[in-house]
Amino acid sequence: MTHRDAKPILAGIPLPVMLIDTDYRITLTNPSLLELFGHDPGGMNALTLLRQAPVLAAMDTAIRDGQKGNARFIFNGLSGEVVYEFQASPLTDGSKVTGAVLSFEDRSQAEDSEIIRRDFVANISHELRTPLTGLTGFIETLRTTARNDPDARDRFLEIMENEAHRMNRMVSDLLSLSRVQADERVRPRNLVNVAGVVRSVIATLEGKLKDASVEVATTGLSEEAEVMADRDQLIQLFLNLIENAIKYGGRGKTVHVGLSQVPQDATLRMPAFRIDIRDEGDGIDPLHLPRLTERFYRVDDHRSREMGGTGLGLAIVKHIINRHRGRLKITSNQGVGSCFSVILPAP
Ligand SMILES: Nc1ncnc2c1ncn2[C@@H]1O[C@H](COP(=O)(O)OP(=O)(O)OP(=O)(O)O)[C@@H](O)[C@H]1O
Ligand SMILES: [Mg+2]
């Protein structure tokens, strides 16, 4: 088969592909390759076109040694840097190498998710290490200096218990985050009464409200508002948001929970229900707002840790809302309070 006969075959391949002869001259290209380079490099010398040492070495491996050569090819396109897995496979006629097939596979997405995965593992390790270091330190102290000091022992044991609880919470939050992410693409199929869910969440939080001397004021909760939802996830969603409002709203303050109907949501482009959870806390610096729903993100690391926070609550909230095809809107006025609005499409 001559290189020319391969043209229709190459045209059917979605990857950018070209053929070269033993002089590295480009003899054939396909449409995806034209798209990648923005022009047809047919007839050019591949050494001039590709010019990156690892790529040139991979081509040599194919043409000189008759073996497959691989390399990373970094392409600087209009929309930034794209990483390709470059492969040069020898073409042979009997035992003689007649040229090579060069292909480019876009690896940037795979590399991105690899980076995200690595960061995630690094984050978890870091988050778990802090309480573990604390625990190890206290065990050491209990063995030595605090050995015969019952007061210190009780104090340390209490701190240790808190740290252990926090680690426990982190692990269960991570599990629920991964469960929520796993079925993020599965549409919820039950009609759920939102007001009912919110009312039962508030009832569950009674103890916490009392402990923090926080009142809840509700509006619109008598309304008939049904959405397509996963009831357990909605409970988790409002539990996280109302808990935050209690925690960060401050002692003796009021948390306002309001349900209303939106005839047409501008972003969702459909009728929706909106649940506002508003507190009277210190508010959040606008600087932090875009990152608030990231895993492990805490505005005041120290304060949140002290309250047993893991920084996973809002990440879970975001994924639950995504699954329900809704949106989360956060507004905050420093010194006045914050408002977390959950907007869910009406069925
Ligand atoms: N209502 C609020 N007012 C002020 N800051 C808030 C409010 N809600 C959340 N934040 C900030 O956003 C951060 C992330 O919230 P998130 O719920 O994800 O984590 P957390 O409350 O620290 O821990 P967790 O919910 O896992 O116990 C918090 O640490 C806090 O700094
Ligand atoms: Mg929280």
Side-chain angles (χ1 to χ4, degrees), residues 166 169-170 173 239-250 277-285 288-289 291-301 303-305 307-317 330-332 337-340:
R166 214 169 76 79
R169 280 207 35 204
M170 195 185 300
D173 279 356
L239 204 60
N240 278 329
L241 289 178
I242 301 176
E243 252 184 352
N244 277 351
I246 300 172
K247 252 195 327 194
Y248 303 109
I277 293 127
R278 185 163 63 79
D279 63 54
E280 301 172 345
D282 297 336
I284 306 160
D285 190 322
H288 299 290
L289 291 186
R291 301 198 52 194
L292 227 48
T293 57
E294 279 175 27
R295 286 177 295 224
F296 300 119
Y297 192 85
R298 287 168 292 227
V299 173
D300 181 343
D301 204 27
R303 183 163 168 229
S304 162
R305 268 176 208 277
M307 296 187 183
T310 64
L312 290 168
L314 288 178
I316 294 173
V317 163
I330 310 173
T331 49
S332 190
S338 314
C339 184
F340 289 72

Side-chain angles (χ1 to χ4, degrees), residues 35 43 66 100 135-136 154 175 192 211 218 236 288 303 305 332:
E35 225 168 88
L135 284 179
T136 324
D154 284 349
L175 284 176
V192 177
D211 288 347
T218 64
Q236 210 178 354
H288 299 290
R303 183 163 168 229
R305 268 176 208 277
S332 190

Side-chain angles (χ1 to χ4, degrees), residues 161-174:
E161 192 177 14
N162 285 339
E163 290 294 272
H165 276 315
R166 214 169 76 79
M167 283 166 66
N168 212 342
R169 280 207 35 204
M170 195 185 300
V171 173
S172 43
D173 279 356
L174 280 169

